[in-house]
Amino acid sequence: MTQRVAIVDFVQTKHGEALEENVRELTFGVVRKLLDRVDMDRSEIGTMISSSADYWQGTSCSNSYYYDAAGGNLKSGSKVTEDSVFALIYGMMRILSGHHRTALVVGVTKCSECPSENTLTNLAADPFFHRPVGLNTVVAEALQARMYLDQYGPSEEQIARVVVKNMSNAERNPYSHRGGKFSIGEILSSSMMAAPLRCMDVPSTSDGACALLLADEHTARQLTDKPVFIHGIGWSVDHTYIGDRDLLNGALPKAAEMAYSRAGVKNPSKEIDVVELSDVTSFHEIMWMEQLGLCDAGNGFRLVEQGVTALDGRLPVNPSGGLFGANPFVARGLIRVGEACLQLRGEAGDHQVPRVNKALAHSVHGLGGQSHSVVILGN
Amino acid sequence: MAVKSRIVKGFISLPYNWSMGPTTTRFYEEFKNKRIMGTRCEKCNRVLIPARSFCSGCFVETTNWVQVSDEGTIRTWVLINFSYEGQPMAPPYITGIIDLDGADVGLPHFVGGVELDDLETVAKKVRIGGRVKAVWKENREGHILDIDYFKPIN
Amino acid sequence: MAQAVAIVGTGQTECGRRTDVSYPELVYEAVSRAFDDAGLVPDDIEAVVAGSMPPAMEGVNNPHLYWADAMGAGGKPLIRTATCGSTGISLAHTGFYHVASGMFDLVLVVGAEKMYEGDPQGTMATVADPFFQRPFLAGAPGIFSLQSNEWAHRYGIEEKRVRMAAAQLSVRNHDDALLNPYAHIRIKITVDDVLNSRIIAYPVRLLDVCPASDGACAVIMASERMAKKLGRPTAWIKGVGYCGEQAFFSEGDKVVWQSAINAAKSAYSQAGITNPRKDLDLAEVYNPFTFQEMLFYECFGFCDFGHGCDLVEQGVVMRGGDLPCDPSGGTLCTNPIGATGLQRVSEVVLHVTEKAGDRQIPGAKTGLAHAMGGLDQFNGIMIISSVL
Ligand SMILES: [Zn+2]
């Protein structure tokens, strides 16, 4: 990439269980606040890319309902769906093309208004083969967790530490939906949901929205003193049928490799200072860390146990609390990017990590992590 | 007037007619005779189930039918103990991915015939690498659930 | 500035009631044909863009993940774009920006729909928000009838005249569809047949309305460097434009329709088009409803406002006319919605690369592809030319 694209600013809702505002109001709220913060008039926005999903909104063509609320009225725009990091990627492409100097990127989901994640992701399974046997994200994730357990043999306590860490980090994050101090015992005494996953191993869903302003380097420097640059971006999809895939080594290494090579990252575990990843379960925070090349395969749970991934560790993972803190399904990926920005700008408050020069954000969707995206950011 | 946001109940129900295509149709027709058929890709030589009309890796059509065993090995499994709208049966139950003998890709299905009262004992009978065999229903209609479940053997 | 973007291959399926194949198999059919057309294999592709209508249309959430294998996308970057009826053109735009950004040299773009598997109007009724509009905007025909009545009233166009022009457009589309092997509705009809067909939503009659189709379309886009290396018949994307508007149907002016006007303006300015009527050799206008097509002529600057009917009466937009529109038979005869906008793109590509067979517009060098979506909310345009 010859030209550089920067994130000017980021705004998120105080995520919650069932927010009072409707989808239009949530969207308007974050975009209005973002424009106020960067002191910009809506007319100055180049293009607007949003991300939401129809089944997760109970509205077909979900962006039709909030296009104007997201600041897009009479502007060029689009909607990329299921993973809000796609919206960041597409916004970046539009700036790199030279057609636009700024791109507003918006993500919104109100999980309280739609059927459960289990039901909606079962509908993502093909109707003839996967759906009738009840595959959905949680079931697929449990199948992966079982394989991980069998191959590397972590103890339940070692896995539960992820939840303890993320819930405790989330308590420090003023935008999180949940958070608190939990003991390993409390997590291990939560009921078995999809063995080996207990209820507390799986973050439940949330309502939330976020907005982020992208700009070319020149424009970004005019709008902010603290631009955060996108150094590299990568994304990848795995095969359709779950039985065709290597469930412990899927699309994520490919997405990571693309992002690292574009960002010139050669040794991720040394070069990355903070990680915001989509911890769809406690096991998956560990599995994704390994597949991102941040540690050796089968070693992730040891790093967690040693406190390496803690807020004050060598490689903090999910200082925001991750999805355990808030999980507005489609918007969650873009929130990871936004949280990584806050860390780079030193604006993360009580969950700030010291000395951050390079950050990694990650997002995932599809059964068993069929699709991943990875973003490398720096200032 | 200060009010609290009201929650409006909605229910969207729409009918569907999904075309399986002849390849998947035959795959399930063979179920009536308790046969699990795959298609072999002539390029990469993989046997694919469900039988499919093309190999995604080689991007060529696959028309070479081969029968695979209704016995196989558990690649991974999960004990389901939670409920959701649209679930195939009331929990608890076990879902696994089965690598059938003669197939190069896995089959997601239920693992059954095991008492589910205690997780510790379940984990002794159902394990990764464990052998299973299909238990077919008496009345088979050409559906993935013509196999009731896979039962651990040995 | 933006890297030049070429289209080096297209693939369309036969459209209609395609119960002979599953949804992924339909996608595979279009993608395989695009590869054959471009002389490429899946390994050559660097990134994939896919999309369709709301998943409620087929009852499969995440259709892009369901199609991943059918597109040869395993192990590649894949993004799903979905903007309702304008999805097809939005997909083409997404693919365009993949290349124009300088990030990729070869990108596969796929749109598909299998509307016989679901309840299209039931799905479309859920586009409107549940609190305010859903009970009133009765699917697509309801919305477009509201719009065309307002248009005719605003300019005082006599009802008889509008109906006659609409009927002529319907006959033109059905005649042209007979020349298009991929078209869904392929019947010979007369003006009287249209005028006497059943009213669906006044003034729209059965033969003024598109069908719901099964169909898929795939397009392969390339950077200039790659297109020159491939050395095959190539079309060039000269301009893209897209504009969206308010969620509430009654808020905007749907006659002097800003989103349509803006989308065309930005595409024209990138393409250096100052007089569309002269500079364009054909236009594939998204025309699910005959009446609406005339409104688009006005918004796209083919004629002045209030004069859409003139272009039909004078034969300008007919095959053999000055600016033939929808020589494929258009959306009116074939509408697998997620693929429809991409079919418009493919059709223009076929004309400017002289591969349109029986439906070829002789000597066509530059054409316009268009799609529209949402509650009369989104319009997208792409200008495609045989010259870089
Ligand atoms: Zn093969």
Side-chain angles (χ1 to χ4, degrees), chain B residues 40-46 48 54-60 62:
Chain B
R40 182 190 297 278
C41 171
E42 307 223 349
K43 250 180 141 174
C44 66
N45 222 27
R46 290 189 306 163
L48 304 166
F54 59 88
C55 168
S56 61
C58 307
F59 229 66
V60 292
T62 51

Side-chain angles (χ1 to χ4, degrees), chain A residues 25 58 67-68 93 95 124 149 173 175 196 228 238 264 293 309 312 347:
Chain A
E25 292 160 346
Y67 196 89
D68 51 338
M93 285 175 180
I95 290 173
L149 204 54
N173 177 356
Y175 298 100
V228 168
D238 210 336
T309 60
D312 57 357
E347 292 174 356

